[in-house]
Amino acid sequence: MQILVLGGTTEARALAEQLCARGTRVTTSLAGRVAAPRLPRGEVRVGGFGGAEGLAAWLGGHGVDLLIDATHPFAGTISFNAARAAALAHVPLLALRRPGWAPADGDTWHLTDSLADAARALPALGTRVFLTTGRMGLAAFAHLDELWFLVRSVDAPAPPHPSRMEPLLDRGPFTLDGERELLRRHRVDVLVTKDSGGAATAPKLTAAREAGIPVVVVRRPPVPEGVPVAATVGDAVAWVAARA
């Protein structure tokens, strides 16, 4: 069986590891936005396919039996391209999507639908911002000259970005003690995050709750309807096993 995993997430790497251990041929596709990504087990390709039609042609040309969309919840159009390509190529598709976060007692969350909406909400919430939405999309905050930003990302951010900014190059998983110290040391008074879900970056939410810091949470974008969804890597492995 030949499987194509649209990856770039912790879950995608764990899935490739488990499937390869079962003797399944796995190719993981990475978008190529990170300079030095953590490579999964199995074969790896980097770069786009040329839209849904290009992906469909790749599926057919490489004899792919199953397609698994394990991309980041904010990966944009790739999930819709995957749904369209799977239909064109007549290849079963599964979406592996980690559940989103939910507020707990003591949280002060401000939900928005976009980075632009998050930027509009910030001036009324604080002046020292911990921005954890990645290096893509910093232009939405570039005009907020009166605010100071701690920007955490895997690779160095490029302009346009906020003028008063300190980059913090790091990647998860992060610890609760580490996030507590980060908020304290930088005197952060507002946190901005996307609803990425998962445990690797969740400690910042707990640290913000403990410190009484408001959190601006960007909601997830829409996803294709009618695609079966697995919430865990184990569920995705079981889905593959049922079709082996």
Side-chain angles (χ1 to χ4, degrees), residues 5-174:
V5 176
L6 305 177
T9 60
T10 301
E11 291 81 7
R13 289 192 298 273
L15 178 62
E17 176 71 26
Q18 293 194 28
L19 291 177
C20 287
R22 297 167 61 94
T24 306
R25 292 182 59 200
V26 179
T27 299
T28 299
S29 176
L30 304 177
R33 293 180 178 176
V34 176
R38 292 173 175 167
L39 297 180
R41 187 173 172 183
E43 299 180 24
V44 177
R45 69 171 304 278
V46 179
F49 291 93
E53 288 73 18
L55 176 53
W58 199 96
L59 295 173
H62 290 78
V64 173
D65 300 293
L66 300 175
L67 174 62
I68 300 178
D69 174 15
T71 55
H72 192 275
F74 287 83
T77 60
I78 184 60
S79 293
F80 286 91
N81 285 344
R84 173 63 177 160
L88 290 172
H90 304 289
V91 172
L93 167 66
L94 176 73
L96 174 55
R97 296 197 185 100
R98 67 182 81 141
W101 292 316
D105 290 341
D107 280 329
T108 303
W109 283 16
H110 301 265
L111 299 175
T112 67
D113 291 320
S114 67
L115 293 176
D117 288 345
R120 281 189 283 270
L122 278 179
L125 298 175
T127 60
R128 297 184 65 81
V129 185
F130 184 21
L131 189 59
T132 64
T133 55
R135 66 186 177 91
M136 309 297 290
L138 290 181
F141 305 91
H143 65 288
L144 298 174
D145 295 330
E146 70 278 14
L147 305 183
W148 178 88
F149 290 84
L150 177 66
V151 176
R152 183 162 67 190
S153 60
V154 176
D155 294 324
H161 55 60
S163 58
R164 300 176 61 203
M165 179 193 77
E166 179 176 335
L168 175 61
L169 304 186
D170 202 357
R171 72 171 88 202
F174 303 106

Side-chain angles (χ1 to χ4, degrees), residues 157-219:
H161 55 60
S163 58
R164 300 176 61 203
M165 179 193 77
E166 179 176 335
L168 175 61
L169 304 186
D170 202 357
R171 72 171 88 202
F174 303 106
T175 66
L176 179 55
D177 285 343
E179 299 293 63
R180 286 168 175 158
E181 172 60 20
L182 201 95
L183 298 181
R184 185 200 63 77
R185 185 171 70 251
H186 293 280
R187 296 180 287 115
V188 169
D189 58 13
V190 60
L191 167 67
V192 181
T193 184
K194 296 176 179 178
D195 182 15
S196 301
T201 60
K204 63 188 173 188
L205 301 174
T206 303
R209 182 190 315 128
E210 293 176 349
I213 293 174
V215 181
V216 180
V217 181
V218 182
R219 294 185 180 95

